[in-house]
Every structure is written in structure tokens, then in C-alpha cells.
Amino acid sequence: MTGQTVLFVEDDDTLRQATVQALELAGFAVRAFSGAEAALTAIPPNFDGVIVSDIRMPRMDGLQLLAQVRARDPDLPVILVTGHGDVPMAVAALKDGAFDFLTKPFAADHLALTVTRALERRGLLIENRRLRAAAAISEAAGPLLDESGAMARLREQVRQFADTDMDVLIEGEPGTGKDLIATMLHRGSSRCARSLIVVPCEALSDEQAAIELFGHAADSVPHTRLARVGQIVASSGGTLLLDAIDALPLPLQARLLRVIEDREVQPVGAVRAEAVNLRLVATASDLSSAVRDGRFRADLYHRLAATCLRPPPLREREQDQLMLFAVFVDQAREQLGLPPYAMTDQDRRHLLAHDWPGNVRELRNFAFAVCNSAQSGVSSEPIDLRARVATFEASIIIDALTATGGNVVKALGLLKTSRRTLYDKLERHGIDPEAFRKD
């Protein structure tokens, strides 16, 4: 019918086979399980199907399965199957979030109709999530705007990774937008309704780090009898961001690796580990160097680096500097309540000559600084952002051609761009280098 899958859970072999056959004859794709535990492990991130489960089962029953499913995804439809004696229990389950319930024996067409309604709702919800995720990523992507294409590829990777539950390493120089990318990953995921928990590893002492991350059991820490929930558990169902993970003390790196592998956390002083619905995002400047220096475990690095995003430094995005500066100028004007700002020759020279070791963060600070300190030279009329960028870009090209007497090769050296890019921009702005040649 729709390609969506029904996960059917029933411990009775005969009933399970008969129900699977009825669902398949109705056109549904079905995966059958004899126990709730196996069904739970088979639910992928952003699962677009539904779950049909018997209530009375050994080990984990249908109500416990419902609770586990809702902890992962409150909007995933669960249809419960019950005997006549369990109807009050099933009605209570509806209040706890079950989509519907069927009493045994049920007609095949009644089952098909209920599953169809659940799949329709799930399909609409998944589509709305995707639309909201795309909108959230676009809204958050300001400093990742580009004209050259490098950041467009990065944004596409962010969209792809956001739609999964994979752990992600974001590796890049300071100021390249690693925290922003982590926020985009969270906002674009099915976990966006839960919290993004940020742990700045550089700010943690060795003593603090274990308790901050893993928590502690009651009576296990001096001067307190209360248990403390660690940030890993607090992030369950949401996203955990370990900022500057290379600063995490080595002994805790081994414990973190076990958490990543087992999806279980054992608080300090606790006897047992507890399951956690973890999605980890980590940032670092250069983890491979930390491994070589002995500051970071190689096994943890290789586990994290399997899914890695690397935002390029601003010096490799020369064509993006004009657009970004204009964006930040507009942000500064709005936040500081200033009128439109006209870029000066001094601003232009700085943009062209500076190497931006602080990357996008430094460029943003520069834009805010020039707007805040401006005493004159502001325009009285609002200027469209694209028009401002185009005017600024054309003026820089004109300045370069004027200085070089229309010599395109020398202008390329001043502009620090490729021949193809320059000719594209000359055509776009209607600039003829011959007009600048000196007799």
C-alpha cells in the first residue's frame, strides 16, 4: 500500500502467523516478533510505520513496550491487542498514549482499517517533521551561507546526518561554526522536541567531569545523600553535545566509549548501569593530533570519526566573505538599533587583506565592531541585502581594475580569486576591463 511497515508482536505462534498473513493479504509490509525486546531493537530512527502488539506477553508485556516506545518517540502509533478481560487495562493504555486497541478475536478488516488510520497519521507526522527540520536548518544556517558551494555541500551533509541517530564528530578550527552545526543537527532531527544538552569539556576538572557526565548514586559522594542525574542521562531522547571533547580526561574517555558502545550509563557509586537513548555530537579542533600526542584514545577517536563533518576555515571561502560580512552587518544593525551602514574603503581593505585566523566568529565580531563605532557615512535609505552585496562586490572589482589599469592578471592577484570566478563576476556586473586600460 504505502511502503510503510507494521511491526507485529505476539508470543503465540499460531496467532502470530495468522495475523501476519491477514496483514500481508491486506497489502501491508509486516515484520513479526515473538517478544517485545526484539521488536524494540528493530525500530529504526524516524520509523515511518506502526506497532501492533499483544498486551499479555512474558518478560516485557505490551504496556511496557508502549512505555519504551513513547520514551523514544511519543508520536509513534502503538495498537494494542487484548482479551476481553483486559479491556479496562487497554482503555487506561489509551490515556497513556496508545493509538487504539483491538479485542480478541478481531476481524481482519477491522485490523486493516485501524492499521491504515495509524499509518496515515504517521505518514503525515513524518512529513511534517521533515518540513520543520528543513525549515529549522535553513533558519539556523546564517553563518554557513555561501556562494562557492563548499558550505552548500556541508549543509546537505548536515541534513542527511540530522535525519539519523548516528553519533557525529564536528572537527574544525575555532570560529568555523562547529556549535552552530551541532545545533542544526539537533533541530533537524526527530529529537528536536527534547533538549540539546551542552557540556563544555574544557571547563570541567577531573573530579567534576565524572559526576557531571555520569551522575552519582545516593550516598556515594561526601556531603550529599541525594543522587544526581548526569548529563548523559539528562540528554536521553535528545542530543548530547560534548564541546571540545579532546579536553575530556583520559580515564573518562574509556567510560564514555563504553557508553557509546552499550548505550548504558553507570553513575558513580551505582551497582547497575541504566539504559540511555543517546545521540552524541562532539566537537574538536583536531582529534588526530590529540591521538598522536597521547591526549585522546585512538579507539574512541575511530569510533567518533566514522561520521565526521569538517567546516572549512574562512580563508578557504574567499567568495563567501562579502556575503557573510553583509549578513553580520545587518544583524548588528538590528541588534544595536543602528541605521543602514555604508562600508568604507578601510573596511574593504581589511576584508581583502586579512587572513581571518578567528574564522567566521572573528568576521562577525569585526562587523559588529565597525557598526557599533560608526559615527558617519551611513545611508538614510534601507538597502536590500543582495543589492548591498552586489554593489560592494562590484566596487571591489572596479577598485582592483582601476589600480591595475585594466590588467586582469594583476587584478586576480589583488582579489585572490580564480580567473573563471572573476570573469563570471565581470559578466554578472557588466564590467568591461577594457574601460580601465591606460593608453
PDB file of all heavy atoms in Angstrom, residues 155-173:
ATOM      1  N   ARG A 155      26.009  21.799   4.299  1.00  0.00           N
ATOM      2  CA  ARG A 155      24.615  21.861   4.756  1.00  0.00           C
ATOM      3  C   ARG A 155      23.845  20.614   4.338  1.00  0.00           C
ATOM      4  O   ARG A 155      22.999  20.123   5.080  1.00  0.00           O
ATOM      5  CB  ARG A 155      23.931  23.122   4.213  1.00  0.00           C
ATOM      6  CG  ARG A 155      24.412  24.419   4.839  1.00  0.00           C
ATOM      7  CD  ARG A 155      23.435  25.551   4.588  1.00  0.00           C
ATOM      8  NE  ARG A 155      23.194  25.754   3.173  1.00  0.00           N
ATOM      9  CZ  ARG A 155      23.939  26.520   2.382  1.00  0.00           C
ATOM     10  NH1 ARG A 155      24.992  27.143   2.890  1.00  0.00           N
ATOM     11  NH2 ARG A 155      23.652  26.673   1.110  1.00  0.00           N
ATOM     12  N   GLU A 156      24.133  20.090   3.136  1.00  0.00           N
ATOM     13  CA  GLU A 156      23.463  18.876   2.695  1.00  0.00           C
ATOM     14  C   GLU A 156      23.864  17.693   3.569  1.00  0.00           C
ATOM     15  O   GLU A 156      23.033  16.844   3.919  1.00  0.00           O
ATOM     16  CB  GLU A 156      23.803  18.592   1.227  1.00  0.00           C
ATOM     17  CG  GLU A 156      23.132  17.346   0.657  1.00  0.00           C
ATOM     18  CD  GLU A 156      21.623  17.385   0.766  1.00  0.00           C
ATOM     19  OE1 GLU A 156      21.042  18.495   0.711  1.00  0.00           O
ATOM     20  OE2 GLU A 156      21.011  16.311   0.919  1.00  0.00           O
ATOM     21  N   GLN A 157      25.146  17.625   3.952  1.00  0.00           N
ATOM     22  CA  GLN A 157      25.582  16.568   4.870  1.00  0.00           C
ATOM     23  C   GLN A 157      24.869  16.688   6.212  1.00  0.00           C
ATOM     24  O   GLN A 157      24.466  15.685   6.805  1.00  0.00           O
ATOM     25  CB  GLN A 157      27.096  16.641   5.081  1.00  0.00           C
ATOM     26  CG  GLN A 157      27.929  16.152   3.917  1.00  0.00           C
ATOM     27  CD  GLN A 157      29.406  16.196   4.262  1.00  0.00           C
ATOM     28  OE1 GLN A 157      29.964  17.249   4.576  1.00  0.00           O
ATOM     29  NE2 GLN A 157      30.048  15.052   4.212  1.00  0.00           N
ATOM     30  N   VAL A 158      24.716  17.924   6.691  1.00  0.00           N
ATOM     31  CA  VAL A 158      24.021  18.138   7.960  1.00  0.00           C
ATOM     32  C   VAL A 158      22.591  17.628   7.856  1.00  0.00           C
ATOM     33  O   VAL A 158      22.085  16.954   8.766  1.00  0.00           O
ATOM     34  CB  VAL A 158      24.048  19.630   8.351  1.00  0.00           C
ATOM     35  CG1 VAL A 158      23.126  19.890   9.540  1.00  0.00           C
ATOM     36  CG2 VAL A 158      25.461  20.079   8.687  1.00  0.00           C
ATOM     37  N   ARG A 159      21.911  17.926   6.761  1.00  0.00           N
ATOM     38  CA  ARG A 159      20.537  17.447   6.570  1.00  0.00           C
ATOM     39  C   ARG A 159      20.487  15.914   6.597  1.00  0.00           C
ATOM     40  O   ARG A 159      19.605  15.320   7.202  1.00  0.00           O
ATOM     41  CB  ARG A 159      19.961  17.964   5.251  1.00  0.00           C
ATOM     42  CG  ARG A 159      19.671  19.449   5.233  1.00  0.00           C
ATOM     43  CD  ARG A 159      18.909  19.843   3.977  1.00  0.00           C
ATOM     44  NE  ARG A 159      18.725  21.277   3.900  1.00  0.00           N
ATOM     45  CZ  ARG A 159      19.520  22.107   3.241  1.00  0.00           C
ATOM     46  NH1 ARG A 159      20.560  21.624   2.584  1.00  0.00           N
ATOM     47  NH2 ARG A 159      19.296  23.396   3.225  1.00  0.00           N
ATOM     48  N   GLN A 160      21.448  15.287   5.916  1.00  0.00           N
ATOM     49  CA  GLN A 160      21.461  13.826   5.859  1.00  0.00           C
ATOM     50  C   GLN A 160      21.718  13.219   7.235  1.00  0.00           C
ATOM     51  O   GLN A 160      21.041  12.273   7.649  1.00  0.00           O
ATOM     52  CB  GLN A 160      22.524  13.355   4.862  1.00  0.00           C
ATOM     53  CG  GLN A 160      22.210  13.697   3.422  1.00  0.00           C
ATOM     54  CD  GLN A 160      23.372  13.395   2.496  1.00  0.00           C
ATOM     55  OE1 GLN A 160      24.463  13.022   2.941  1.00  0.00           O
ATOM     56  NE2 GLN A 160      23.163  13.560   1.199  1.00  0.00           N
ATOM     57  N   PHE A 161      22.700  13.760   7.961  1.00  0.00           N
ATOM     58  CA  PHE A 161      23.040  13.203   9.269  1.00  0.00           C
ATOM     59  C   PHE A 161      21.966  13.514  10.309  1.00  0.00           C
ATOM     60  O   PHE A 161      21.746  12.717  11.227  1.00  0.00           O
ATOM     61  CB  PHE A 161      24.386  13.743   9.751  1.00  0.00           C
ATOM     62  CG  PHE A 161      25.568  13.259   8.954  1.00  0.00           C
ATOM     63  CD1 PHE A 161      26.801  13.873   9.053  1.00  0.00           C
ATOM     64  CD2 PHE A 161      25.454  12.182   8.097  1.00  0.00           C
ATOM     65  CE1 PHE A 161      27.898  13.429   8.325  1.00  0.00           C
ATOM     66  CE2 PHE A 161      26.533  11.723   7.359  1.00  0.00           C
ATOM     67  CZ  PHE A 161      27.753  12.349   7.470  1.00  0.00           C
ATOM     68  N   ALA A 162      21.313  14.689  10.187  1.00  0.00           N
ATOM     69  CA  ALA A 162      20.300  15.068  11.173  1.00  0.00           C
ATOM     70  C   ALA A 162      19.159  14.079  11.189  1.00  0.00           C
ATOM     71  O   ALA A 162      18.563  13.821  12.245  1.00  0.00           O
ATOM     72  CB  ALA A 162      19.772  16.473  10.865  1.00  0.00           C
ATOM     73  N   ASP A 163      18.857  13.489  10.052  1.00  0.00           N
ATOM     74  CA  ASP A 163      17.715  12.583   9.930  1.00  0.00           C
ATOM     75  C   ASP A 163      18.032  11.172  10.415  1.00  0.00           C
ATOM     76  O   ASP A 163      17.248  10.258  10.199  1.00  0.00           O
ATOM     77  CB  ASP A 163      17.255  12.538   8.472  1.00  0.00           C
ATOM     78  CG  ASP A 163      15.802  12.112   8.340  1.00  0.00           C
ATOM     79  OD1 ASP A 163      15.024  12.416   9.258  1.00  0.00           O
ATOM     80  OD2 ASP A 163      15.463  11.479   7.327  1.00  0.00           O
ATOM     81  N   THR A 164      19.181  10.986  11.057  1.00  0.00           N
ATOM     82  CA  THR A 164      19.565   9.689  11.602  1.00  0.00           C
ATOM     83  C   THR A 164      19.853   9.844  13.090  1.00  0.00           C
ATOM     84  O   THR A 164      19.811  10.948  13.637  1.00  0.00           O
ATOM     85  CB  THR A 164      20.831   9.143  10.915  1.00  0.00           C
ATOM     86  OG1 THR A 164      21.976   9.870  11.386  1.00  0.00           O
ATOM     87  CG2 THR A 164      20.735   9.270   9.402  1.00  0.00           C
ATOM     88  N   ASP A 165      20.148   8.733  13.748  1.00  0.00           N
ATOM     89  CA  ASP A 165      20.554   8.770  15.156  1.00  0.00           C
ATOM     90  C   ASP A 165      22.055   8.539  15.304  1.00  0.00           C
ATOM     91  O   ASP A 165      22.537   8.245  16.400  1.00  0.00           O
ATOM     92  CB  ASP A 165      19.788   7.703  15.950  1.00  0.00           C
ATOM     93  CG  ASP A 165      18.607   8.307  16.689  1.00  0.00           C
ATOM     94  OD1 ASP A 165      18.404   9.528  16.583  1.00  0.00           O
ATOM     95  OD2 ASP A 165      17.882   7.572  17.377  1.00  0.00           O
ATOM     96  N   MET A 166      22.813   8.686  14.220  1.00  0.00           N
ATOM     97  CA  MET A 166      24.252   8.447  14.270  1.00  0.00           C
ATOM     98  C   MET A 166      24.947   9.485  15.148  1.00  0.00           C
ATOM     99  O   MET A 166      24.585  10.662  15.142  1.00  0.00           O
ATOM    100  CB  MET A 166      24.852   8.493  12.859  1.00  0.00           C
ATOM    101  CG  MET A 166      24.403   7.382  11.951  1.00  0.00           C
ATOM    102  SD  MET A 166      25.312   7.366  10.369  1.00  0.00           S
ATOM    103  CE  MET A 166      24.805   8.946   9.695  1.00  0.00           C
ATOM    104  N   ASP A 167      25.965   9.046  15.891  1.00  0.00           N
ATOM    105  CA  ASP A 167      26.840   9.981  16.588  1.00  0.00           C
ATOM    106  C   ASP A 167      27.692  10.706  15.550  1.00  0.00           C
ATOM    107  O   ASP A 167      28.085  10.117  14.534  1.00  0.00           O
ATOM    108  CB  ASP A 167      27.739   9.235  17.571  1.00  0.00           C
ATOM    109  CG  ASP A 167      26.932   8.491  18.628  1.00  0.00           C
ATOM    110  OD1 ASP A 167      25.877   9.012  19.035  1.00  0.00           O
ATOM    111  OD2 ASP A 167      27.345   7.394  19.034  1.00  0.00           O
ATOM    112  N   VAL A 168      27.983  11.978  15.806  1.00  0.00           N
ATOM    113  CA  VAL A 168      28.686  12.797  14.815  1.00  0.00           C
ATOM    114  C   VAL A 168      29.835  13.546  15.484  1.00  0.00           C
ATOM    115  O   VAL A 168      29.674  14.111  16.566  1.00  0.00           O
ATOM    116  CB  VAL A 168      27.729  13.816  14.149  1.00  0.00           C
ATOM    117  CG1 VAL A 168      28.477  14.679  13.130  1.00  0.00           C
ATOM    118  CG2 VAL A 168      26.570  13.100  13.463  1.00  0.00           C
ATOM    119  N   LEU A 169      30.987  13.552  14.818  1.00  0.00           N
ATOM    120  CA  LEU A 169      32.122  14.371  15.217  1.00  0.00           C
ATOM    121  C   LEU A 169      32.196  15.572  14.291  1.00  0.00           C
ATOM    122  O   LEU A 169      32.141  15.426  13.065  1.00  0.00           O
ATOM    123  CB  LEU A 169      33.422  13.572  15.128  1.00  0.00           C
ATOM    124  CG  LEU A 169      34.726  14.358  15.306  1.00  0.00           C
ATOM    125  CD1 LEU A 169      34.821  14.944  16.718  1.00  0.00           C
ATOM    126  CD2 LEU A 169      35.938  13.478  15.007  1.00  0.00           C
ATOM    127  N   ILE A 170      32.288  16.783  14.864  1.00  0.00           N
ATOM    128  CA  ILE A 170      32.453  18.009  14.081  1.00  0.00           C
ATOM    129  C   ILE A 170      33.848  18.534  14.371  1.00  0.00           C
ATOM    130  O   ILE A 170      34.148  18.933  15.493  1.00  0.00           O
ATOM    131  CB  ILE A 170      31.394  19.063  14.438  1.00  0.00           C
ATOM    132  CG1 ILE A 170      29.988  18.463  14.356  1.00  0.00           C
ATOM    133  CG2 ILE A 170      31.497  20.268  13.509  1.00  0.00           C
ATOM    134  CD1 ILE A 170      28.911  19.358  14.925  1.00  0.00           C
ATOM    135  N   GLU A 171      34.699  18.526  13.361  1.00  0.00           N
ATOM    136  CA  GLU A 171      36.113  18.834  13.553  1.00  0.00           C
ATOM    137  C   GLU A 171      36.484  20.039  12.696  1.00  0.00           C
ATOM    138  O   GLU A 171      36.259  20.039  11.485  1.00  0.00           O
ATOM    139  CB  GLU A 171      36.950  17.614  13.158  1.00  0.00           C
ATOM    140  CG  GLU A 171      38.333  17.574  13.758  1.00  0.00           C
ATOM    141  CD  GLU A 171      39.008  16.240  13.495  1.00  0.00           C
ATOM    142  OE1 GLU A 171      38.958  15.754  12.355  1.00  0.00           O
ATOM    143  OE2 GLU A 171      39.596  15.687  14.441  1.00  0.00           O
ATOM    144  N   GLY A 172      37.058  21.062  13.326  1.00  0.00           N
ATOM    145  CA  GLY A 172      37.447  22.241  12.568  1.00  0.00           C
ATOM    146  C   GLY A 172      38.098  23.283  13.453  1.00  0.00           C
ATOM    147  O   GLY A 172      38.104  23.171  14.690  1.00  0.00           O
ATOM    148  N   GLU A 173      38.649  24.319  12.815  1.00  0.00           N
ATOM    149  CA  GLU A 173      39.333  25.378  13.553  1.00  0.00           C
ATOM    150  C   GLU A 173      38.344  26.165  14.413  1.00  0.00           C
ATOM    151  O   GLU A 173      37.142  26.184  14.135  1.00  0.00           O
ATOM    152  CB  GLU A 173      40.029  26.317  12.565  1.00  0.00           C
ATOM    153  CG  GLU A 173      41.136  25.666  11.776  1.00  0.00           C
ATOM    154  CD  GLU A 173      41.808  26.644  10.814  1.00  0.00           C
ATOM    155  OE1 GLU A 173      41.521  27.861  10.904  1.00  0.00           O
ATOM    156  OE2 GLU A 173      42.609  26.197   9.979  1.00  0.00           O
TER     157      GLU A 173
END
